[in-house]
Amino acid sequence: MELAHRYAALLTAPEGMLREAPADGFSDDRSELELQAHWFAGDFGTSFLTATNGERVEVVQFGVWNREAGPDFTDAAVRFPDRDGAPVLRGAIELDTSAEDWERHGHGSNPAFDGVVLHLYLRQGLRQPFTRTSQHRQIAQVQLDYRQIEQRPPPAPLPLAMPGRCLGPLRLLDKEQVRTLLSAAAQYRLEIKNRRWQRLASVRGYDQALFQSLAITLGYKENKLPFALLAQRLPLKVLQAEQKAATALLLGAAGFLQAPEFGEDKSAKETRAYLRDCWEHWWPRRSQMDRLILPAAAWKLAGLRPANHPQRRLAALAQLARRWPEVRALIDGGSADFGKDVIRFLTGLRDEYWYHHYTLHSARTARPLALIGASRATEMLANVFFPLAIAQRPERWTPYEKLPATTTNRRVETVIARLFGERANGEAWIKTAVHQQGLLQIYEDFCLRDDSDCERCTFPERVKRFEFQRV
Ligand code: SF4
């Protein structure tokens, strides 16, 4: 793991050669998306906007387009020069056509909007509304002037994020140098993860720590927390001792088994029989678990693909608990085909009922459904199995480095846009799990810590001094 040290040196290098910090009447046919594009392109200006209370607001960083639920732009930074210390606030920005949309769309009571630091709008409405979070924190409001974009065509194409200052230095590197840099950042990330994992294992024990880590990857990506809670409340030892009842216990503690419903349930006979069986296992233990049953609000089910429903994933977790000796043997054994063995094991897990049902009540599917699909299995391999196996046998880094990534996510796409500009320029670096991990580490170490719109970020200078030659 020699490269990890080089990346650590890049993070801590003396800054002598590094950059010094500087002294110091809207048309309804414009869609909200178009307005956001104009905002993001800087067409409304950045320095100094005037808030509705008269104070000046400087947009230091436009942030990143949020294509998911929540505020319009995340990871933005705004400065308030008139406040004591001229603080820079990092957070999200929401842009609405009307100021009243904040309350009309329920943002004021939605915790997902608690991190908003600036509310932009074009129309004020009859009275001046108050923009507040669910914690009753007041948010600065700026009314944008539509005349600034009246004559402008919509900017296209819409970038996910603005390219950063490091684009130039990274362009000067050849492919091998970029590969080395990303691999170094990925090794560094792996070492951090392993240290965190060792701490968990020293408190909970190796097996329980591994079980919790696997549960969290099954909760990807919206339901990590409820899966972590369930793995804590129904630890591996309990599920191993209960074997037959394991799935029912997990479904019950998750709050998915309500009052006996199989009597009147209009589902097929097979579903009624399964529910009855679950209930028989769950009922005798329910009173002991009563206080620990998760509320329905703990689960995020909106927008989930049926194959990813947590009920299926809990059935998979129960299967892992039942076949635990095989899980341990995969990590501890010396297989030359480690990656393939793990994928084969995970995708081969079977459960008679869940082999043909998306959820507890869904109709039987004609097509069999893998309990863990190939893409989730690869994520589990990349995020849990490989890191632990490499800690035991560092030579496993070589096959890990070649592991193809099965998916990308908003963070990876964002860092590609910031470091490489056009997606085509960074395309080569999203193809493997290791390079994605390296990109994420750089994003967290530099982009997420920067509140100067790249101006004071030291990554571009540090890249020039990185030790690229592979030993
Ligand atoms: S903050 Fe630093 S690493 Fe991120 S895009 Fe700007 S210059 Fe690059």
Side-chain angles (χ1 to χ4, degrees), residues 162-167 418-419 442 446-447 450 453-454 457-460:
M162 298 291 189
R165 199 166 62 78
C166 53
L167 185 74
R418 301 218 67 194
L419 270 57
I442 292 169
F446 293 96
C447 301
D450 171 60
D453 198 18
C454 300
C457 173
T458 54
F459 181 63

Side-chain angles (χ1 to χ4, degrees), residues 30 32-47 59 61-65 67 73 93 95 120 144 148-149 152-163 453:
R30 302 240 177 187
E32 199 161 284
L33 197 65
E34 187 183 328
L35 292 174
Q36 290 168 3
H38 278 294
W39 161 257
F40 200 59
D43 292 343
F44 287 104
T46 57
S47 57
V59 180
Q61 216 148 279
F62 283 84
V64 173
W65 279 90
R67 308 259 159 113
F73 301 98
I93 294 177
L95 193 162
L120 307 166
L144 300 173
Q148 292 176 280
I149 58 161
R152 290 178 195 253
L158 307 179
L160 177 66
M162 298 291 189
D453 198 18

Side-chain angles (χ1 to χ4, degrees), residues 4 82 130 172 183 207 310 344 464:
D82 300 328
F130 173 64
L172 298 176
S183 293
D207 287 295
R344 200 174 303 122
K464 292 178 203 161

Side-chain angles (χ1 to χ4, degrees), residues 77-155:
V78 290
R79 197 165 77 92
F80 294 90
D82 300 328
R83 295 187 189 172
D84 278 350
V88 173
L89 300 188
R90 287 198 68 106
I93 294 177
E94 172 69 6
L95 193 162
D96 292 317
T97 49
S98 164
E100 287 158 346
D101 288 348
W102 182 269
E103 286 305 324
R104 204 180 291 140
H105 298 160
H107 300 338
S109 53
N110 183 349
F113 285 75
D114 282 356
V116 172
V117 290
L118 186 62
H119 181 210
L120 307 166
Y121 58 83
L122 281 146
R123 286 204 215 92
Q124 186 178 300
L126 291 176
R127 54 191 182 81
Q128 176 62 49
F130 173 64
T131 305
R132 51 152 194 96
T133 64
S134 70
Q135 305 294 313
H136 303 288
R137 177 176 60 81
Q138 187 168 2
I139 297 170
Q141 303 167 308
V142 169
Q143 183 173 12
L144 300 173
D145 183 353
Y146 77 92
R147 285 168 304 186
Q148 292 176 280
I149 58 161
E150 214 169 17
Q151 303 302 329
R152 290 178 195 253

Side-chain angles (χ1 to χ4, degrees), residues 8 38 40 107 109 118 121 127 144 154-155 184 188 209 224 233 238 243 275 299 319 325 429 445:
H38 278 294
F40 200 59
H107 300 338
S109 53
L118 186 62
Y121 58 83
R127 54 191 182 81
L144 300 173
Y188 180 79
K224 286 182 181 178
R233 292 173 181 189
V238 170
Q243 288 280 329
L275 286 169
W299 297 100
Q319 283 293 46
W429 311 116
D445 285 335

Side-chain angles (χ1 to χ4, degrees), residues 120-291:
L120 307 166
Y121 58 83
L122 281 146
R123 286 204 215 92
Q124 186 178 300
L126 291 176
R127 54 191 182 81
Q128 176 62 49
F130 173 64
T131 305
R132 51 152 194 96
T133 64
S134 70
Q135 305 294 313
H136 303 288
R137 177 176 60 81
Q138 187 168 2
I139 297 170
Q141 303 167 308
V142 169
Q143 183 173 12
L144 300 173
D145 183 353
Y146 77 92
R147 285 168 304 186
Q148 292 176 280
I149 58 161
E150 214 169 17
Q151 303 302 329
R152 290 178 195 253
L158 307 179
L160 177 66
M162 298 291 189
R165 199 166 62 78
C166 53
L167 185 74
L170 286 173
R171 251 193 210 141
L172 298 176
L173 305 183
D174 62 35
K175 236 177 166 184
E176 198 45 44
Q177 288 174 317
V178 178
R179 194 188 314 281
T180 306
L181 178 66
L182 295 183
S183 293
Q187 281 191 6
Y188 180 79
R189 187 176 183 82
L190 195 65
E191 289 191 355
I192 294 177
K193 273 189 183 174
N194 266 331
R195 277 200 292 275
R196 207 178 296 140
W197 195 87
Q198 294 295 347
R199 274 199 299 276
L200 180 64
S202 68
V203 180
R204 298 275 169 255
Y206 188 98
D207 287 295
Q208 177 59 19
L210 174 56
F211 181 66
Q212 277 182 220
S213 305
L214 290 171
I216 290 168
T217 59
L218 285 170
Y220 175 89
K221 64 182 173 177
E222 301 288 3
N223 291 304
K224 286 182 181 178
L225 179 62
F227 268 83
L229 288 170
L230 285 172
Q232 287 171 347
R233 292 173 181 189
L234 285 167
L236 177 66
K237 274 198 176 138
V238 170
L239 295 177
Q240 281 181 305
E242 295 281 0
Q243 288 280 329
K244 273 190 172 172
T247 313
L249 287 186
L250 285 165
L251 290 169
F256 291 133
L257 294 179
Q258 296 304 327
E261 48 200 337
F262 41 82
E264 317 104 56
D265 195 284
K266 294 196 176 57
S267 315
K269 202 170 147 196
E270 182 190 26
T271 298
R272 289 202 302 276
Y274 185 74
L275 286 169
R276 185 178 292 111
D277 188 54
C278 283
W279 190 260
E280 276 167 11
H281 285 303
W282 170 238
W283 176 245
R285 295 149 177 105
R286 189 182 174 218
S287 57
Q288 303 156 16
M289 292 285 299
D290 207 30
R291 282 184 53 247

